[in-house]
Amino acid sequence: MENFLSNLKIHALAILLWFAAFFMWKDYFQQPRQMMERGKYTYFTGTYSSAGNEIYLPSGHSGNHYIILKEASRTFIPEAIDWSAFIDEVPTDTKFTVGFSPEEDPKVSGKGIRTFSLKYNNKEYINDQDAVTWYNKSIIKRRNTALYFTLAGFAAFGLVWWIKRRFFK
């Protein structure tokens, strides 16, 4: 038991890195991870209820925009949107169409859905190339961060093992 506890103390950093990697992999696998291609979206048409900005407390910093449709159980988070034109031109209680990843389901409640297309009266309010590029880069970044933490845990474990074997035997 004493040997186990001493090894646990020595390898604490590696264990901590593996715990962090576990939660990063969990986040990666729970969120959509299919790379998007321009124009290959799932579309949902609904009645515009309200829109606004997220506000982070206690700082009061304003974050992403959000749009609420009456028929959906989730909010839609448009990226690369011409927000002022959208707010000025789209009246409340009108129908418009949003395009998003096929992995998302707006009828099931959960986090907001990243939106790549927002059309009203045949006008597109989102620059989908910027939104798709950003979305794909964020998926790659989440995966790479989890991978780096996993490899860092193995490296820390191996380094401690090598130092212990080389200098303390």
Side-chain angles (χ1 to χ4, degrees):
M1 185 66 170
E2 188 174 310
N3 191 22
F4 173 74
L5 291 176
S6 68
N7 280 331
L8 192 63
K9 279 193 290 187
I10 290 172
H11 295 291
L13 178 61
I15 293 167
L16 181 65
L17 287 168
W18 282 328
F19 273 117
F22 169 77
F23 288 113
M24 289 181 183
W25 281 116
K26 182 181 170 206
D27 177 55
Y28 175 74
F29 285 117
Q30 285 181 341
Q31 294 184 14
R33 57 190 176 279
Q34 177 182 347
M35 299 295 247
M36 291 297 301
E37 292 181 31
R38 188 175 186 189
K40 294 187 177 181
Y41 313 130
T42 300
Y43 291 96
F44 181 81
T45 302
T47 307
Y48 173 48
S49 175
S50 65
N53 294 326
E54 293 177 342
I55 297 178
Y56 301 110
L57 298 175
S59 68
H61 173 71
S62 134
N64 297 328
H65 304 295
Y66 67 87
I67 298 169
I68 298 174
L69 299 180
K70 291 180 182 174
E71 294 83 2
S73 297
R74 300 166 79 173
T75 61
F76 293 92
I77 302 170
E79 298 293 335
I81 186 172
D82 184 3
W83 187 249
S84 60
F86 172 75
I87 294 298
D88 292 342
E89 296 173 10
V90 180
T92 308
D93 293 326
T94 57
K95 294 225 181 245
F96 65 86
T97 303
V98 292
F100 50 89
S101 170
E103 291 181 287
E104 300 280 8
D105 185 4
K107 297 288 187 180
V108 177
S109 61
K111 286 184 170 181
I113 299 174
R114 299 286 174 193
T115 306
F116 305 110
S117 174
L118 199 147
K119 293 180 184 177
Y120 174 71
N121 285 345
N122 294 326
K123 181 178 179 185
E124 180 64 55
Y125 289 93
I126 295 180
N127 179 351
D128 65 343
Q129 187 57 43
D130 291 344
V132 168
T133 302
W134 174 87
Y135 182 80
N136 289 340
K137 284 182 181 179
S138 71
I139 290 173
I140 292 168
K141 185 177 179 181
R142 275 198 325 264
R143 183 199 59 214
N144 289 347
T145 303
L147 180 64
Y148 296 152
F149 267 78
T150 303
L151 294 176
F154 282 110
F157 184 83
L159 181 65
V160 169
W161 177 80
W162 180 79
I163 289 172
K164 183 180 172 187
R165 194 140 217 226
R166 177 96 173 162
F167 298 110
F168 296 108
K169 279 272 177 170

